[in-house]
Amino acid sequence: MFNTRFAMEVATALFTALLGLIICIGSARHGISWNEQGPEAGFFPFYIGCMVLIGSAVNLAQAVLARRRLTSHFIEFDRVRDVAAFFVAIVAFAVLVSLLGLYVGIALYLPAVTLWKARLRPARAALLGLGAALFFYVCFEYAFKLPLPKGPLLNLFGIY
């Protein structure tokens, strides 16, 4: 009963709705309006939480409307290993980010995953990782002026 695709669609929609609600409530505590200096700290996260809530509601409605078509198993037993490998890779990425910072974590994680799963050539995988890390660095640090965790390596090279 709980291994049907319908059950997983509903559970995922409810889980993401809960996350969106938590984001909205947390953002509201930091202020979600504009003042004379610009948007308050919770302005952007609040609207991202609202988008997550709306997306969750759409996903839930789609699942309910398609309930009869979603009776198959969510995951076949022989695919559990692939899902577990993906989960382990995500946990490894979280550990990399907490130890080395977001940008170095991306620069290491993407090449490793694309080498392992997509079987990209090493040079392309390295370019993908470095390009993605550089893209996110420019976006967050310069365009959005939102400093993200850089970790000890970037601090060692004086990149703040």
Side-chain angles (χ1 to χ4, degrees):
M1 176 177 179
F2 293 110
N3 192 18
T4 64
R5 181 139 176 243
F6 173 74
M8 288 298 128
E9 294 279 348
V10 169
T12 302
L14 293 175
F15 177 73
T16 56
L18 178 64
L19 288 178
L21 188 63
I22 290 170
I23 291 169
C24 286
I25 291 171
S27 301
R29 290 182 182 164
H30 295 287
I32 58 172
S33 63
W34 284 71
N35 58 26
E36 58 275 352
Q37 297 172 341
E40 292 181 324
F43 181 81
F44 290 115
F46 176 78
Y47 286 104
I48 289 171
C50 289
M51 287 189 282
V52 170
L53 276 172
I54 292 168
S56 300
V58 169
N59 286 339
L60 182 61
Q62 286 178 336
V64 169
L65 292 174
R67 182 179 189 156
R68 292 186 182 173
R69 288 186 293 119
L70 300 175
T71 57
S72 63
H73 286 287
F74 170 68
I75 185 167
E76 300 297 329
F77 194 70
D78 58 338
R79 302 294 312 247
V80 170
R81 186 175 169 194
D82 291 336
V83 174
F86 180 73
F87 179 75
V88 169
I90 292 296
V91 170
F93 177 64
V95 170
L96 275 174
V97 168
S98 67
L99 292 176
L100 301 174
L102 181 67
Y103 307 114
V104 174
I106 288 173
L108 295 175
Y109 172 78
L110 279 180
V113 169
T114 54
L115 280 170
W116 174 44
K117 282 303 202 183
R119 306 209 185 282
L120 279 184
R121 293 179 184 171
R124 285 185 178 184
L127 279 175
L128 175 71
L130 290 174
L134 182 63
F135 173 78
F136 286 120
Y137 180 80
V138 169
C139 279
F140 286 108
E141 301 294 328
Y142 292 105
F144 297 140
K145 303 214 181 295
L146 182 66
L148 293 178
K150 291 175 196 63
L153 288 179
L154 292 184
N155 289 336
L156 184 68
F157 293 115
I159 301 172
Y160 300 107

